């Protein structure tokens, strides 16, 4: 910030920097002090209460439901961990969990690699950068439903890519992952990466632009090559960006529902099922609310398993002043 | 207390899309939650509205789009939890019993006795409409599920004839495949896999075996050689389905039969709507045959309106009037002509129905007499939703993997134990 130290630390009564935000009461009066102390809390409290109830309250409610015998309608008598035992015995749950592992890992990896690569290329002060950036970023403007539906047509062997190649005379070309139970989950990765890597690129590009020019110039003076500068200076300084990107991508991966629903609907059969679809079906269409709640808690546990180590690393880094 | 009312109102608003329920309690009116939102279905629902309005009962529509009624079920739960259920809701099969256990359904015996429902409904159907011996729901229509839709032009081109049993079916399928067309049009969605499966079980084991295995979930029958043989037949059928079938909607599969790209399809009689909408004539441009080996049996899928507890004598009277109207021969005729299904009750004039529908009526009456009228598993008529879902998962896995018929039968028996 450009404010001088005096301005930032000085008493508000000194006037000067921001006269317009001063409350219209006499400075130093008891009312003014009270308002100063309580007004922010008062203004923030509705949102805090709303998140306490509608986020954390409902998490608690789900946790409670997962310990009951709730079927079609919620019942609130605790019944132990039976729903979790039932959940872990279901083949379908393990298919969903394995698919989440495959999808999450590949989705995050490819998005990071492609996003960072594109950002570094765009960072070379090339012509038409704005236009290129818009092209790469734009898939993010589509909903996952649209992405899923479009890729469903592109990847359908009888309609899209494979048929086009056949029509062009490449009779031996096959690309039927969408209808292959063993490969269907990878089509979800393709569509997901297509959708999200532009967004990752935009975040990285913003991060790259914020790296201090003088350090880079100093390195150049010292005779470092461009790849070395990126590897040793620029990318390490992008740590906070990496953190945010990982966080966002992990969330997208774990809650992915619409993309899978539109692209494969969990099929063929149940081969590309993911926990979010599992949770929806068991809670709302199969009248097994308790089991669905248990699977939702397992999804929350997955998010926490990713989030907590990351947060810990990040705060530790911050404490060391990096 | 005020807070509770506010929460109820808020839930009601979310559930009904902005219509505050329970506010207007003066004039007799019925609010009906249904998912008849596509063309012919919406026309059918409008017919019911007209009948009710002629009796001075206001009609409040609560339509929730979404084919299999999943969205409607979610909306209904929100309304019931908020303490303001609609007058009636489109619920079918064992789900009626599940709602009955929640203690929210209304007794409509008064209408049933006056209308002599017991005499005009098949006993299996009447049983589904009752909870603890009392009528709580009223049936609207019957869909027959064990149909095989055939394009005779494709058969002629391939030199095959219409099949009546599995041997003839595979013979015809071979010929169609050799002639370069798809023998079996299918959509690889779990409910369609289950539709195919139940017809195969019925054709392989007959109605008594079907009832023992898929309705009573008898463990010995589920693992019996007949079940293994059913899975073997199903597995043979996979070879005649094109590989792009995964995830295909049923109406697209029907379209393949309509335009001659494919020869046959297993599907319920809602497929007839696709044929007639394409200007095809039954018996000439397409054939409706009982699925191989099932000509004496009939798997049914019945839509029904379950009645919920409403307060106030006026509202209760309106509810009984609604039940009466749904069972009236006039409504049953118009509704089913529009929807492509057949009337559920006896005594409905049949001169306006086409040859597929009249055959369906005859077969249903015959099957009812012979004890071969069985509920459809794939369409939520046979077992509760949790068990049906688990069974459907097994069938879907079998259709999409190299699982052996023996392993599938074992998995099926395990799935049937789902609580």
């Amino acid at each position: 910030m450009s404010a001088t130290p005096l301005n930032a630390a000085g008493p508000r009564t000194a006037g000067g920097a921001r006269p317009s935000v001063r409350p219209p009461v006499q400075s130093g009066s008891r009312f003014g002090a009270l308002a100063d102390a309580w007004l922010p809390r008062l203004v923030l409290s509705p949102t805090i209460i709303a998140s306490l109830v509608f986020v954390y309250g409902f998490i608690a409610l789900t946790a409670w439901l997962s310990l009951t015998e709730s079927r079609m309608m919620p019942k609130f008598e605790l019944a132990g961990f039976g729903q979790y035992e039932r959940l872990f015995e279901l083949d379908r749950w393990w298919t969903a969990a394995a698919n989440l592992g495959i999808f999450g890992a590949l989705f995050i990896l490819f998005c990071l690699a492609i996003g960072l690569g594109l950002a570094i290329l765009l960072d070379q002060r090339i012509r038409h950068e704005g236009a290129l950036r818009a092209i790469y970023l734009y898939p993010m403007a589509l909903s996952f439903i649209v992405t899923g539906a479009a890729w469903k047509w592109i990847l359908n062997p009888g309609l899209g890519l494979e048929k086009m190649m056949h029509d062009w005379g490449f009779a031996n070309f096959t690309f039927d992952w969408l209808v292959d139970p063993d490969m269907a989950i990878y089509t979800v990765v393709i569509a997901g990466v297509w959708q999200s890597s532009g967004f990752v690129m935009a975040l990285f590009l913003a991060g790259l632009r914020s790296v201090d020019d003088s350090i880079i110039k100093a390195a150049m003076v010292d005779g470092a090559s461009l790849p070395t500068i990126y590897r040793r200076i620029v990318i390490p300084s992008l740590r906070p960006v990496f953190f945010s990107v990982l966080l966002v991508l992990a969330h997208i991966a774990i809650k992915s529902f619409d993309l899978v629903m539109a692209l494969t609907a969990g099929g063929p059969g149940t081969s590309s099922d993911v926990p979010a679809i599992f949770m929806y079906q068991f809670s709302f269409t199969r009248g097994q609310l308790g089991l669905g709640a248990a699977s939702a808690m397992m999804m929350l546990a997955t998010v926490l398993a990713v989030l907590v180590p990351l947060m810990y690393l990040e705060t530790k880094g911050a404490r060391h002043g990096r | 207390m005020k807070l509770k009312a506010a929460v109820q109102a808020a839930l009601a608003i979310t559930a009904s899309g902005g219509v505050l329920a329970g506010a207007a309690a003066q004039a007799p009116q019925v609010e009906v939650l249904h998912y008849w939102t596509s063309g012919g279905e919406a026309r059918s629902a409008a017919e019911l509205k007209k009948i009710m309005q002629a009796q001075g009962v206001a009609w409040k529509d609560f339509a929730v789009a979404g084919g299999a009624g999943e969205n409607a079920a979610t909306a209904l739960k929100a309304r019931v939890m908020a303490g303001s259920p609609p007058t009636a809701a489109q619920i079918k099969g064992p789900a009626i019993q599940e709602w009955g256990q929640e203690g929210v359904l209304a007794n409509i015996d008064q209408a049933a006795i006056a209308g002599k429902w017991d005499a005009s409904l098949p006993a299996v159907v009447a049983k589904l409409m009752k909870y603890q011996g009392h009528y709580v729901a009223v049936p609207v229509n019957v869909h027959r599920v064990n149909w095989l839709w055939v394009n005779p032009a494709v058969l002629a081109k391939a030199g095959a004839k219409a099949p009546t049993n599995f041997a003839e079916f595979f013979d015809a399928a071979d010929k169609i495949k050799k002639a370069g067309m798809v023998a079996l049009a299918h959509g690889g969605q779990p409910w369609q896999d289950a539709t195919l499966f139940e017809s195969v079980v019925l054709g392989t084991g007959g109605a008594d075996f079907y009832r023992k295995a898929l309705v009573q979930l008898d463990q010995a029958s589920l693992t019996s050689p007949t079940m293994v043989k059913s899975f073997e037949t199903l597995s043979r059928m996979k070879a005649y389905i094109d590989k792009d079938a995964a995830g295909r909607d049923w109406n697209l599969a029907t379209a393949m039969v309509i335009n001659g790209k494919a020869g046959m399809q297993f599907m319920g009689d809602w497929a007839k709507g696709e044929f007639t909408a394409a200007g095809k004539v039954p018996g000439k441009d397409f054939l409706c045959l009982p699925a191989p080996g099932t000509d004496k049996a009939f798997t049914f899928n019945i839509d029904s309106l379950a009645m919920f507890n409403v307060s106030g004598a006026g509202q209760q009277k309106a509810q009984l009037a609604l039940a009466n109207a749904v069972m009236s021969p006039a409504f049953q005729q118009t509704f089913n002509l529009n929807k492509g299904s057949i009337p559920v009750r006896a005594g409905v004039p049949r001169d306006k129905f086409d040859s597929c529908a009249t055959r369906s009526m005859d077969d249903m009456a015959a099957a009812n007499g012979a004890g071969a009228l069985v509920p459809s598993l794939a369409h939520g008529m046979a077992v509760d939703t949790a068990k049906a879902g688990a069974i459907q998962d097994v069938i879907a896995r079998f259709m999409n993997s190299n699982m052996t018929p023996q392993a599938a039968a074992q998995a099926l028996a395990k799935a049937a134990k789902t609580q």
Side-chain angles (χ1 to χ4, degrees):
Chain A
M1 286 294 137
S2 59
T4 62
L6 181 96
N7 225 341
R12 296 244 180 121
T13 45
R18 285 164 292 173
S20 59
V21 294
R22 258 198 310 163
V25 272
Q26 196 67 46
S27 57
S29 82
R30 274 187 59 212
F31 183 73
L34 231 94
D36 270 357
W38 283 98
L39 204 59
R41 293 174 210 197
L42 199 71
V43 170
L44 284 178
S45 57
T47 44
I48 290 180
I49 291 171
S51 3
L52 275 179
V53 173
F54 290 106
V55 177
Y56 300 98
F58 283 161
I59 289 179
L61 188 67
T62 308
W64 186 286
L65 279 181
S66 76
L67 298 174
T68 66
E69 289 292 333
S70 297
R71 300 281 303 182
M72 199 168 64
M73 305 278 264
K75 293 189 185 73
F76 292 101
E77 300 96 58
L78 285 180
F81 288 91
Q83 301 288 9
Y84 290 90
E85 281 169 31
R86 214 171 289 161
L87 180 69
F88 294 146
E89 274 175 21
L90 277 178
D91 296 336
R92 197 171 152 191
W93 166 253
W94 292 112
T95 314
N99 279 335
L100 177 60
I102 296 173
F103 172 65
L106 293 178
F107 172 71
I108 292 174
L109 201 75
F110 278 108
C111 276
L112 278 179
I114 294 174
L116 184 59
L118 287 177
I120 288 175
L121 292 179
L122 273 187
D123 194 32
Q124 308 308 313
R125 312 275 165 194
I126 51 174
R127 269 195 293 166
H128 306 306
E129 185 204 309
L132 286 172
R133 203 171 49 196
I135 290 172
Y136 286 128
L137 186 58
Y138 220 74
M140 195 70 189
L142 299 178
S143 86
F144 269 120
I145 293 281
V146 177
T147 305
W151 280 93
K152 187 179 173 179
W153 292 326
I154 295 172
L155 295 176
N156 187 312
L159 286 176
L161 197 62
E162 185 174 307
K163 183 171 185 296
M164 187 184 78
M165 296 301 272
H166 287 184
D167 291 348
W168 284 357
F170 301 95
N172 290 325
F173 180 88
T174 48
F175 189 75
D176 57 356
W177 286 7
L178 189 69
V179 297
D180 182 348
D182 295 328
M183 303 304 285
I185 189 67
Y186 298 100
T187 61
V188 184
V189 176
I190 294 175
V193 169
W194 178 82
Q195 164 102 315
S196 300
S197 51
F199 161 71
V200 174
M201 175 207 74
L203 286 185
F204 274 129
L205 196 58
L208 287 174
R209 291 286 153 80
S210 70
V211 174
D212 197 344
D213 263 357
S214 55
I215 305 176
I216 298 176
K217 292 218 174 81
M220 278 174 164
V221 170
D222 285 346
S225 67
L226 203 58
T228 318
I229 292 176
Y230 269 105
R231 207 179 68 241
R232 305 289 292 269
I233 299 171
V234 178
I235 293 177
S237 67
L238 289 181
R239 254 183 69 108
V241 184
F242 265 107
F243 174 72
S244 321
V245 168
L246 264 180
L247 215 68
V248 172
L249 289 181
H251 270 98
I252 294 180
I254 291 167
K255 68 173 194 195
S256 63
F257 174 82
D258 35 10
L259 177 65
V260 187
M261 222 43 195
L263 185 62
T264 66
T270 54
S271 57
S272 60
D273 201 11
V274 288
I277 293 182
F278 181 97
M279 194 283 288
Y280 178 79
Q281 282 199 344
F282 279 77
S283 306
F284 300 118
T285 67
R286 292 194 180 175
Q288 284 171 291
L289 207 51
L291 192 69
S295 71
M297 291 317 288
M298 294 313 296
M299 282 166 68
L300 177 68
T302 321
V303 175
L304 290 182
V306 176
L307 203 67
V308 169
L310 270 177
M311 295 271 247
Y312 176 72
L313 282 176
E314 190 56 24
T315 47
K316 211 173 101 191
R319 226 179 290 135
H320 286 292
R322 269 182 285 166
Chain B
M1 245 12 254
K2 249 187 164 163
L3 180 72
K4 196 183 164 207
V7 169
Q8 286 186 353
L11 278 170
I13 288 169
T14 359
S16 60
V19 186
L20 225 163
Q26 58 285 42
Q29 69 160 12
V30 288
E31 187 184 17
V32 182
L33 188 161
H34 62 87
Y35 45 94
W36 292 314
T37 46
S38 78
E41 294 174 340
R43 271 203 306 281
S44 314
E47 190 59 35
L48 192 54
K49 178 180 176 178
K50 241 190 288 169
I51 297 179
M52 293 313 291
Q53 279 169 345
Q55 301 184 18
V57 177
W59 171 278
K60 202 154 131 200
D61 211 37
F62 182 2
V64 182
E70 293 176 357
N71 304 340
T74 310
L76 177 63
K77 277 176 208 168
R79 282 288 296 271
V80 173
M81 269 190 262
S84 66
T87 316
Q90 194 184 347
I91 304 173
K92 61 182 193 176
I96 296 173
Q97 306 300 317
E98 292 175 45
W99 281 104
Q101 283 159 18
E102 302 287 343
V104 292
L105 295 185
N107 183 337
I108 52 167
D109 278 346
Q110 208 187 324
I113 293 166
K116 299 196 175 63
W117 292 6
D118 275 329
S120 47
L121 290 176
V124 240
V125 177
K127 198 175 154 230
L128 277 169
M129 301 300 140
K130 290 177 184 175
Y131 176 67
Q132 294 182 339
H134 300 289
Y135 276 100
V136 292
V138 45
V140 183
N141 63 348
V142 183
H143 282 293
R144 185 183 197 180
V145 183
N146 61 326
W147 278 124
L148 181 71
W149 303 92
V150 176
N151 184 331
V154 172
L155 286 190
K157 223 191 288 175
K161 65 182 187 58
T164 60
N165 57 38
F166 284 119
E168 289 176 17
F169 171 83
F170 285 114
D171 180 58
D174 269 331
K175 286 180 176 150
I176 297 172
K177 199 178 175 185
K178 248 184 224 132
M181 287 163 286
V182 178
L184 189 54
H186 184 64
Q189 294 171 337
W191 72 268
Q192 293 187 57
D193 291 341
T195 303
L196 178 59
F197 168 79
E198 69 175 30
S199 284
V200 170
V201 171
L202 187 64
T204 310
D208 287 331
F209 175 77
Y210 180 98
R211 196 177 299 116
K212 258 193 122 159
L214 299 185
V215 184
Q216 292 155 10
L217 301 175
D218 168 51
Q219 286 285 318
S221 307
L222 285 170
T223 52
S224 67
T226 314
M227 186 55 77
V228 174
K229 193 157 169 263
S230 305
F231 275 111
E232 276 164 5
T233 309
L234 194 61
S235 151
R236 270 183 79 189
M237 284 186 177
K238 282 199 260 179
Y240 299 99
I241 300 170
D242 61 322
K243 69 165 185 172
D244 296 349
R248 181 188 284 147
D249 287 321
W250 67 271
N251 50 339
L252 298 181
T254 308
M256 290 169 68
V257 180
I258 293 174
N259 55 35
K261 270 166 79 181
M264 306 180 270
Q265 183 190 17
F266 287 85
M267 187 48 63
D269 53 17
W270 45 92
K272 193 176 71 188
E274 299 288 310
F275 284 99
T276 47
K280 305 289 179 188
V281 181
K284 187 167 131 293
D285 303 314
F286 69 97
L287 309 176
C288 43
L289 308 171
T294 68
D295 58 327
K296 297 270 185 309
F298 191 106
T299 34
F300 62 80
N301 174 16
I302 293 179
D303 284 325
S304 47
L305 291 178
M307 301 293 168
F308 283 81
N309 282 323
V310 286
S311 51
Q315 303 305 328
Q316 278 160 3
K317 238 180 106 193
Q319 187 171 49
L320 293 177
L322 174 69
N324 266 324
V326 170
M327 275 294 277
S328 69
F331 170 74
Q332 291 270 334
Q333 183 189 16
T334 331
F335 183 94
N336 288 303
L337 280 171
N338 278 327
K339 190 145 193 288
S341 41
I342 61 169
V344 64
R345 59 167 300 158
V348 176
R350 51 192 286 170
D351 45 328
K352 285 188 184 152
F353 288 90
D354 64 20
S355 59
C356 291
T358 47
R359 165 147 203 195
S360 198
M361 292 178 208
D362 291 341
D363 286 359
M364 178 167 153
N368 186 34
L373 185 58
V374 290
S376 161
L377 171 80
H379 299 277
M381 301 302 296
V383 295
D384 70 47
T385 44
K387 290 191 180 76
I391 290 172
Q392 191 174 285
D393 283 349
V394 172
I395 301 164
R397 198 141 45 90
F398 178 77
M399 289 296 284
N400 292 289
S401 68
N402 299 324
M403 205 176 190
T404 64
Q406 284 81 5
Q410 294 296 335
L412 197 67
K414 190 180 162 218
K417 287 189 203 154
T418 303
Q419 284 305 307

